Amino acid sequence: MECGAPQLAIVEKNGRLLLGLKKTGFGSGYYNGFGGKVEPGETIAQAAHRELQEEAGITATSLQHRGVLTFAFDDQQLPWEVHVYRVPDYTGEPCESQEMAPVWMHPQELPYDKMWADDRWWYPVFLRGASFQGVFAFTNTTQLVWHNLQEVEEPGKLPATELLTV
Ligand SMILES: Nc1nc2c([nH]c(=O)n2[C@H]2C[C@H](O)[C@@H](COP(=O)(O)OP(=O)(O)OP(=O)(O)O)O2)c(=O)[nH]1
């Protein structure tokens, strides 16, 4: 069942990344890719297209599925999976939305202190062009206490439970 699984689209074009400063909701105050939950009747990739249009005002011309991240929180009942897509090109002009203020960044200058704590682990793999799966455990919503990240051939094939044993 795909409904509900969040996704994240990261635009990488001409050697720079388009991130957004999240202004509202979960993760506000952090720089992130563009994304949100999958709506009924959508595939995860369709939701990534829609969220990119809604939050950044641009239309992806292709999406590359690059990662699956599982997050567990000690203050939430269920873990959730986030599917990460690379967007190598798009049409339109990025513009600020109610949720996100888009900013172009150089990969070597990512503001990891203003991003989710897991991002410093998987962005380097993403930027190398590899695919990945990971499990990340948080306490107090934002403090990362444990993780296991692996490069994979095809994201989503490895059961998350296999990442729980190291
Ligand atoms: N980089 C990064 N992104 C994350 C992490 N955890 C996490 O949910 N995300 C992403 C996935 C989604 O794009 C977004 C959270 O989705 P959401 O559905 O709660 O966002 P939202 O409040 O904007 O909801 P929506 O109405 O747009 O669906 O944050 C993380 O640890 N690192």
Side-chain angles (χ1 to χ4, degrees):
M1 193 188 68
E2 296 197 329
C3 190
Q7 29 60 40
L8 191 61
I10 301 169
V11 176
E12 187 181 20
K13 193 174 175 183
N14 300 329
R16 290 189 304 165
L17 300 182
L18 183 69
L19 297 186
L21 179 61
K22 192 144 194 277
K23 302 195 293 184
T24 58
F26 188 70
S28 64
Y30 284 160
Y31 287 95
N32 208 344
F34 302 92
K37 295 180 198 69
V38 175
E39 290 183 352
E42 281 182 329
T43 63
I44 300 174
Q46 284 166 345
H49 264 283
R50 176 183 50 73
E51 292 275 356
L52 192 61
Q53 284 169 332
E54 287 174 4
E55 295 187 349
I58 57 178
T59 303
T61 47
S62 64
L63 287 175
Q64 300 167 350
H65 192 204
R66 291 286 301 282
V68 179
L69 305 172
T70 304
F71 298 109
F73 295 85
D74 62 357
D75 51 4
Q76 305 211 18
Q77 279 190 329
L78 294 173
W80 69 79
E81 250 182 23
V82 173
H83 290 252
V84 181
Y85 292 87
R86 176 173 180 266
V87 178
D89 209 358
Y90 60 86
T91 57
E93 275 304 315
C95 62
E96 186 164 345
S97 62
Q98 278 194 335
E99 271 195 70
M100 294 289 243
V103 190
W104 285 106
M105 294 187 185
H106 290 285
Q108 62 275 25
E109 291 169 1
L110 292 180
Y112 287 120
D113 55 331
K114 294 184 190 122
M115 295 164 73
W116 280 98
D118 51 283
D119 293 14
R120 68 180 66 238
W121 295 101
W122 58 264
Y123 264 88
V125 182
F126 175 92
L127 290 165
R128 263 195 281 121
S131 297
F132 51 90
Q133 279 188 234
V135 173
F136 296 85
F138 285 85
T139 187
N140 299 324
T141 312
T142 57
Q143 197 183 337
L144 183 63
V145 289
W146 184 88
H147 77 277
N148 185 15
L149 179 73
Q150 285 186 21
E151 287 190 29
V152 295
E153 287 292 318
E154 197 179 336
K157 288 282 174 228
L158 190 66
T161 46
E162 288 198 21
L163 289 165
L164 293 175
T165 48
V166 277

